[in-house]
Amino acid sequence: MQELPFGQYGRLFAGVLLLGLLGGCLLWAGTTPDDPLSSTYPDEIEVTPSPESYVGEQVRLGGIVVETDPVVIATRRGGYGRFTAVGANDHLLNADGPLERGDRVTVVGPLDDESTLVAERVITGESSETRSMIVISFVGGLWVAGRFVRDWRFDRSTLAFVPRPKREPRSDRSHGAVTDSKRGTRSGETVSDEGGHRD
Amino acid sequence: MTDVLTHVIAGYIVGTLLAMRYEWMKPAHVTLVMIGALSPDFVKIQLLVPDGFVASVLGVPFSWSALHTAGGAVLVLCLGTLALAPDERKRALVLFAIGASSHHVLDVLLLTPTGYSYAVFWPLTEYRLPSGGLYLSTDRWPAVVAGLSAALVWAIARRYDDETPVSD
């Protein structure tokens, strides 16, 4: 893969083809009944409006604990969409429990009747995207972007990113003489090609 | 999903360790591993431009989720590779792939309510691997562990660089 056939036109074609395939993938993912990233179980958005059609099925309901004995969760704001989660405290995976009012939980198990869920696996405290997580993620993105700008430059003649000439780490200076003498035996163009980066 | 920073740190650790093993790997190549490790999280664009919005504009079903799967990763990373100089592409693709793999390994280890992970191999298969159940996406300790490991690897790499004679 040193150079694509047909040069820049080949590259353009490959780029357009890949973009097309990627776009197709995103549309395809949209038509998939079970989104690749979500679980295959029906969730609170599907179950809450018509729980009767899910009785006996394995479901995954996220909500807020509104009562503790027995545990009742509300899947909608304002305490609506109530389901009793039988045995929720005994199947709590990531806390010692017991659950308290206001805890955010996700309960997985079979729906026993229209308003009762037999809890098999319960997780508390999981929220999809908290503000602090977004900030931390942004820091991660900035770090990578900063490194890329530092390590790579856009070469206008080839319309491609090339590594910037290697920075001299302090420790390399002691070996510099050896390297320089080796370089000296090469043709001058090698050095200029690499930007004459050795000091 | 684990936060982006943890993934990027993991990419740094893997990249730096590889750079100690392979002499041709420079800091620029470590950056490529980090980009690969970050790339599945391009799916977070859905926070800015939700699936439903795109679907309503285009008038067809749409989901960014494909970006966070093997199939999406291959396409995104091939596109990224095309942006680089020809003689860097082969190595870049491998480094991107290593980074992206580290991302998916960490995400499959997450604790999920269902006990199953996401469809990581989509569109080849919708099979969901059993989830590792090690941590929640909101847990802070994985980031701390990753950060401390990165500091350790950074120190070792520096020492290693100091002791390794430059050879052509």
Side-chain angles (χ1 to χ4, degrees):
Chain A
M1 208 168 30
Q2 290 304 298
E3 180 57 273
L4 289 170
F6 314 113
Q8 295 290 23
Y9 287 109
R11 189 172 167 224
L12 183 68
F13 175 74
V16 171
L17 183 71
L18 285 169
L19 270 180
L21 286 172
L22 186 60
C25 248
L26 299 179
L27 298 180
W28 184 7
T31 59
T32 312
D34 291 317
D35 189 89
L37 292 189
S38 56
S39 79
T40 49
Y41 302 152
D43 63 12
E44 65 277 2
I45 298 169
E46 295 155 90
V47 175
T48 307
S50 54
E52 63 283 356
S53 42
Y54 294 94
V55 171
E57 257 187 71
Q58 199 81 359
V59 295
R60 173 196 194 278
L61 301 184
I64 306 280
V65 175
V66 288
E67 282 177 35
T68 50
D69 193 22
V71 173
V72 176
I73 64 166
T75 59
R76 285 188 178 159
R77 280 168 204 229
Y80 296 102
R82 290 184 176 224
F83 293 88
T84 305
V86 180
N89 282 322
D90 302 330
H91 296 93
L92 200 52
L93 296 175
N94 66 324
D96 293 331
L99 289 166
E100 290 172 12
R101 283 175 66 128
D103 282 349
R104 177 180 289 276
V105 291
T106 307
V107 185
V108 171
L111 202 60
D112 219 16
D113 62 45
E114 287 177 23
S115 61
T116 312
L117 172 67
V118 181
E120 289 180 346
R121 290 173 64 93
V122 182
I123 285 184
T124 178
E126 188 190 45
S127 73
S128 52
E129 297 288 342
T130 61
R131 186 176 294 236
S132 66
M133 209 169 140
I134 292 174
V135 171
I136 290 175
S137 293
F138 190 68
V139 171
L142 274 186
W143 182 21
V144 174
R147 276 188 68 115
F148 187 75
V149 169
R150 189 197 66 187
D151 295 339
W152 296 79
R153 69 177 176 85
F154 189 71
D155 179 45
R156 285 191 210 168
S157 62
T158 55
L159 301 177
F161 287 96
V162 294
R164 284 188 196 272
K166 190 181 166 221
R167 295 161 299 141
E168 281 293 295
R170 269 160 295 167
S171 54
D172 273 12
R173 306 229 172 213
S174 54
H175 309 296
V178 180
T179 326
D180 279 349
S181 65
K182 277 187 182 173
R183 298 232 162 212
T185 60
R186 291 185 179 175
S187 63
E189 69 195 57
T190 313
V191 176
S192 64
D193 269 353
E194 296 181 15
H197 59 279
R198 295 268 167 178
D199 292 327
Chain B
M1 288 177 265
T2 321
D3 64 86
V4 177
L5 184 60
T6 306
H7 283 302
V8 169
I9 294 175
Y12 173 81
I13 294 172
V14 173
T16 308
L17 290 176
L18 286 173
M20 285 162 64
R21 173 75 180 75
Y22 298 101
E23 212 168 289
W24 56 265
M25 274 188 75
K26 306 292 178 237
H29 298 105
V30 176
T31 303
L32 296 184
V33 180
M34 292 166 74
I35 292 174
L38 178 147
S39 63
D41 273 347
F42 290 154
V43 73
K44 287 189 193 288
I45 193 174
Q46 67 193 1
L47 296 176
L48 295 173
V49 190
D51 293 344
F53 175 78
V54 184
S56 68
V57 170
L58 298 180
V60 282
F62 184 92
S63 169
W64 292 111
S65 301
L67 294 176
H68 202 279
T69 63
V74 167
L75 295 173
V76 167
L77 297 179
C78 282
L79 271 169
T81 306
L82 270 188
L84 303 179
D87 48 0
E88 294 290 339
R89 285 183 193 146
K90 204 167 176 178
R91 288 167 168 178
L93 194 58
V94 173
L95 296 175
F96 279 152
I98 290 171
S101 307
S102 78
H103 185 116
H104 287 297
V105 167
L106 285 181
D107 276 1
V108 167
L109 291 177
L110 281 168
L111 175 64
T112 63
T114 57
Y116 287 92
S117 185
Y118 54 97
V120 59
F121 302 115
W122 190 91
L124 291 180
T125 164
E126 293 198 14
Y127 175 71
R128 284 149 167 85
L129 290 169
S131 65
L134 284 191
Y135 39 78
L136 279 180
S137 60
T138 43
D139 280 348
R140 283 286 155 263
W141 68 262
V144 174
V145 170
L148 291 175
S149 312
L152 185 67
V153 167
W154 176 79
I156 294 172
R158 252 178 92 91
R159 234 185 124 88
Y160 184 84
D161 280 350
D162 283 356
E163 287 169 3
T164 315
V166 173
S167 55
D168 272 47

